Amino acid sequence: MKKIFTIFTSLVLMLVLCMPAMAKGENTAKSAPATQTTQADKQIQQRLVLPNNVGTVSLLDMAGLLKPDQQSKLLQRLNQLEKQHNVRIVVMTVPRDSRTGTDLGIKKFADDTLNKYYRDEANNNGSIMMVVCPDARKWAVTTDNNMRQRITDE
């Protein structure tokens, strides 16, 4: 249980690190008329395309949220936890699109991405993924079956 708590705490730490950047754009005024399509609207309408290396990395900052030194520190900690507990931990920041802009959409995106790219139940004790969309202020944490069996209320 202590191992799972360590993993969960690391993911919460990632979320805490992301909150200032997520709140950064909250007070900006929108000057474009409602009839015009803004750049943000075009970005939302586009579908997020994952890079080719998506299944091989533990940290993917597609939203450009983290500074290089933050990325290296977080990646070092994720790699340490993965080796120590034989689990797969993935943290992903994504820009807003039609899938990641809602609570249900980002949860489904996280589930689909974990199941398609990071599921390796035969070779590890489970996988857990945190997806953060700072533009939409949405996030999701999802796990595979092995991790669900390890995380219990007992």
Side-chain angles (χ1 to χ4, degrees):
M1 186 67 176
K2 185 177 179 182
K3 295 175 186 177
I4 300 305
F5 179 74
T6 303
I7 294 168
F8 185 73
T9 304
S10 297
L11 290 174
V12 170
L13 178 63
M14 170 61 187
L15 183 61
V16 169
L17 288 171
C18 296
M19 293 308 277
M22 291 171 69
K24 175 175 62 174
E26 191 172 290
N27 296 328
T28 58
K30 295 183 180 176
S31 60
T35 57
Q36 292 182 347
T37 303
T38 65
Q39 182 66 25
D41 292 334
K42 290 177 184 176
Q43 186 180 16
I44 292 170
Q45 293 169 359
Q46 295 174 351
R47 300 225 8 132
L48 179 64
V49 178
L50 296 173
N52 293 335
N53 69 339
V54 71
T56 61
V57 295
S58 295
L59 175 62
L60 190 59
D61 185 21
M62 295 171 50
L65 187 65
L66 302 172
K67 296 176 184 172
D69 62 324
Q70 293 173 322
Q71 286 183 17
S72 64
K73 287 178 185 177
L74 182 58
L75 187 57
Q76 182 180 9
R77 181 70 176 140
L78 292 174
N79 289 335
Q80 178 187 9
L81 288 169
E82 286 180 342
K83 289 176 184 168
Q84 186 177 2
H85 301 291
N86 191 29
V87 295
R88 188 65 199 258
I89 306 170
V90 181
V91 176
M92 185 181 294
T93 67
V94 294
R96 184 177 187 169
D97 76 352
S98 59
R99 293 178 292 173
T100 61
T102 65
D103 288 332
L104 291 175
I106 198 161
K107 176 67 173 150
K108 183 170 179 2
F109 173 81
D111 288 340
D112 292 347
T113 304
L114 180 79
N115 288 332
K116 184 173 182 180
Y117 297 105
Y118 293 98
R119 213 168 159 174
D120 189 14
E121 294 175 354
N123 295 322
N124 66 33
N125 290 327
S127 300
I128 187 166
M129 171 185 261
M130 178 181 203
V131 178
V132 178
C133 180
D135 296 335
R137 298 184 55 91
K138 304 292 180 196
W139 61 273
V141 175
T142 189
T143 63
D144 67 2
N145 291 332
N146 280 359
M147 188 63 79
R148 278 186 209 108
Q149 291 173 1
R150 295 185 71 198
I151 302 173
T152 64
D153 293 335
E154 299 172 8

